[in-house]
Amino acid sequence: MSSEKTKNEKTTVAFLGLGNMGAPMARRLLAAGYGLTVWNRTASKASELVADGAVAAATPASAVRDADVVITMLADPAAALAVADAMVPALRAGTTWIDTSTVGPDTVRELASRLPDGVALIDAPVMGSVDRAATGELLILAGGETEPVAAVLAELGSVTRCGEVGAGASLKLVLISAVIGGVALVAEALRLAAALGLPADLARTSLEASPMGGLVGRAFATEAYFPVELAAKDVALAVEGGGLPVLEAVRGVLASRQDLTGADLSSLRN
C-alpha cells in the first residue's frame, strides 16, 4: 500500500447521493484510499461500492457521524434540505461539508444557516458529466474555504475559487444556463437548416467551425449524461428572479418535452 493511500485512510469521508454523478465521484475517493461511508435513498445503488470496500450507512445521520469530510450530491433543493434535516444534528465539530449539488445560492445559504458550531460548508457544484466524474476531470466551482479539503477535491477535479459560501452555486447557474440554452439553440438551428433544405452534415460542420463549436460538441455528445429533467430544474433555479426572457423560453421548451425527461440533454436534437 502506498504512503499516499495510507495517509488518505486517516481521513474518513461520508458520501451521500449515489446517482449518475455521485457514484463515480465516490468511487474515485474509494480508489484513492479514503475511508468511505456511503448513503443513498435507494440503498441498492451502494452495492457495488460496498463490494469494493465502502461501508453502507442506513441513514444520513449514521453516515456522517464519524466523518471528517461529508460530500453530498443530490438532485434538487428539496432533496438537499431533506437530507440536511436528517444529517445536520449528527455532524461533529471539525467536519467539513462539501455540497456538490446544483441547488442555487438561496438553498446553499439556508443550508449554511443550519450548521452547528465548528462545522464548515463549502458549496462546490460541478461542471462536467459522468465521463468527467469518472476520470476526475470535473470543474469544481467552490464557495468557501477549500484549503482544508484540497486533497479530497483534487481527486474529483480542478477547483475554481469563487468567493464566499454561495458564490459557487451562483456561478454554476450562470455556466449551466449558458450551456443548456446553447444546446437548445443548436438543436433549433439544425431544425432550421433541415427546414431550409440544407444537408445535415453541412449544417453541423459549419456550426462546429463557428463560435458555437463547443456547444455543437455537447449537442452531439455520446458519453455524457445530463437528464433533461435536471436541466429544466437548473434553468428554473436561474430564472427565479425574473428578467431573463431567453432562459424563460428555454425553460418552457424543456418543460414541454415530457418525452425526453430522463434522456440526455443532447436528445433535444430529436
Side-chain angles (χ1 to χ4, degrees):
M1 181 182 296
S2 69
S3 59
E4 181 66 22
K5 189 164 186 177
T6 301
K7 180 176 71 174
N8 290 349
E9 284 180 337
K10 297 177 182 178
T11 300
T12 57
V13 178
F15 204 112
L16 289 76
L18 302 174
N20 294 304
M21 292 292 289
M25 292 166 68
R27 181 164 294 283
R28 285 197 59 80
L29 297 175
L30 186 63
Y34 287 98
L36 185 67
T37 299
V38 294
W39 174 86
N40 194 72
R41 184 175 58 180
T42 303
S44 60
K45 290 188 176 181
S47 58
E48 292 186 7
L49 288 164
V50 171
D52 290 334
V55 175
T59 65
S62 60
V64 307
R65 188 164 287 120
D66 297 318
D68 300 307
V69 179
V70 173
I71 302 176
T72 48
M73 173 55 92
L74 302 163
D76 53 34
L81 293 169
V83 169
D85 284 341
M87 79 173 191
V88 163
L91 293 172
R92 57 188 176 86
T95 301
T96 298
W97 174 13
I98 305 169
D99 181 39
T100 64
S101 319
T102 300
V103 294
D106 290 344
T107 297
V108 167
R109 285 188 281 267
E110 172 62 23
L111 295 175
S113 73
R114 301 183 182 191
L115 294 181
D117 291 342
V119 175
L121 173 66
I122 299 169
D123 62 304
V126 301
M127 292 293 293
S129 191
V130 292
D131 50 346
R132 292 186 178 272
T135 58
E137 297 178 288
L138 295 168
L139 173 59
I140 303 167
L141 310 171
E145 180 50 60
T146 61
E147 187 58 34
V149 291
V152 173
L153 292 172
E155 295 295 336
L156 305 177
S158 60
V159 175
T160 294
R161 296 283 299 276
C162 300
E164 299 299 319
V165 172
S170 296
L171 184 57
K172 172 62 185 285
L173 293 186
V174 171
L175 298 184
I176 198 62
S177 294
V179 171
I180 295 167
V183 171
L185 182 58
V186 167
E188 290 209 349
L190 293 170
R191 284 196 284 276
L192 173 62
L196 294 173
L198 292 170
D201 287 347
L202 173 63
R204 176 177 174 177
T205 56
S206 298
L207 281 168
E208 285 173 336
S210 79
M212 299 288 287
L215 291 166
V216 176
R218 180 60 186 88
F220 284 89
T222 57
E223 296 183 358
Y225 182 61
F226 180 31
V228 168
E229 62 183 333
L230 292 185
K233 177 265 297 183
D234 290 354
V235 175
L237 288 170
V239 302
E240 280 180 351
L244 300 170
V246 174
L247 286 176
E248 286 279 11
V250 171
R251 179 173 68 166
V253 169
L254 297 173
S256 71
R257 295 303 305 269
Q258 295 297 312
D259 56 318
L260 302 179
T261 296
D264 179 62
L265 185 64
S266 61
S267 65
L268 290 177
R269 294 185 291 106
N270 300 329

